[in-house]
């Protein structure tokens, strides 16, 4: 993802992360592949590790939650929104499904995970 110093326009892909059973192994792979360095966010954030290039955040890797319906490791693309709660309500109205309701992510803002009517998952 390209780094920005200003807010992303609504609906723009703004973040990606990978949830896997073995985050250390994945970090070793992507670190060697792309030169990413990782900063573990600690126990409070489940050891979610922010990947950086030249000191700028580009992605993250975290531990996979228990699988739902056989879902395995996956990259999630997050779309920028001005209000995660309002957007989550619109998702349901449009025929999508909110898989993880909006919640605070420290001081970074709010996030949610949803799926479109075809089942494709994305984050807010």
């Amino acid at each position: 993802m390209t780094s920005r110093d200003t807010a992303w326009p609504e609906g723009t892909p703004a973040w990606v992360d990978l949830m896997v059973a073995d985050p250390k192994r994945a970090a070793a792979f992507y670190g060697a592949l792309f030169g990413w360095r990782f900063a573990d966010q600690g126990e409070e954030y489940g050891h979610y590790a922010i990947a950086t290039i030249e000191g700028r955040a580009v992605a993250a890797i975290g531990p996979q939650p228990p699988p739902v319906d056989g879902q395995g490791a996956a990259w999630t693309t997050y779309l920028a929104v001005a209000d995660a709660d309002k957007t989550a309500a619109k998702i349901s109205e449009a025929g999508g499904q909110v898989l993880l309701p909006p919640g605070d992510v420290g001081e970074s803002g709010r996030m949610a995970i949803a799926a479109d009517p075809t089942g494709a998952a994305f984050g807010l």
Side-chain angles (χ1 to χ4, degrees):
M1 301 301 297
T2 303
S3 296
R4 286 180 66 102
D5 294 323
T6 59
W8 292 94
E10 185 94 5
T12 302
W15 187 247
V16 293
D17 66 20
L18 173 63
M19 296 298 158
V20 293
D22 189 344
K24 288 182 181 180
R25 184 173 177 205
F29 172 78
Y30 288 103
L33 185 64
F34 297 125
W36 291 356
R37 296 185 181 273
F38 292 88
D40 187 319
Q41 301 304 292
E43 187 70 34
E44 179 181 3
Y45 294 100
H47 295 287
Y48 189 78
I50 305 290
T52 62
I53 295 177
E54 296 180 4
R56 297 192 68 133
V58 295
I61 296 177
Q64 182 178 350
V68 177
D69 296 330
Q71 181 182 5
W75 279 99
T76 301
T77 300
Y78 292 79
L79 305 173
V81 297
D83 187 318
D85 298 280
K86 286 182 182 177
T87 304
K90 289 170 67 175
I91 288 167
S92 298
E93 293 168 8
Q97 182 180 7
V98 176
L99 304 174
L100 176 67
D104 293 332
V105 182
E107 295 182 19
S108 298
R110 292 175 64 73
M111 65 152 290
I113 301 292
D116 71 17
T118 71
F122 61 97
L124 305 174

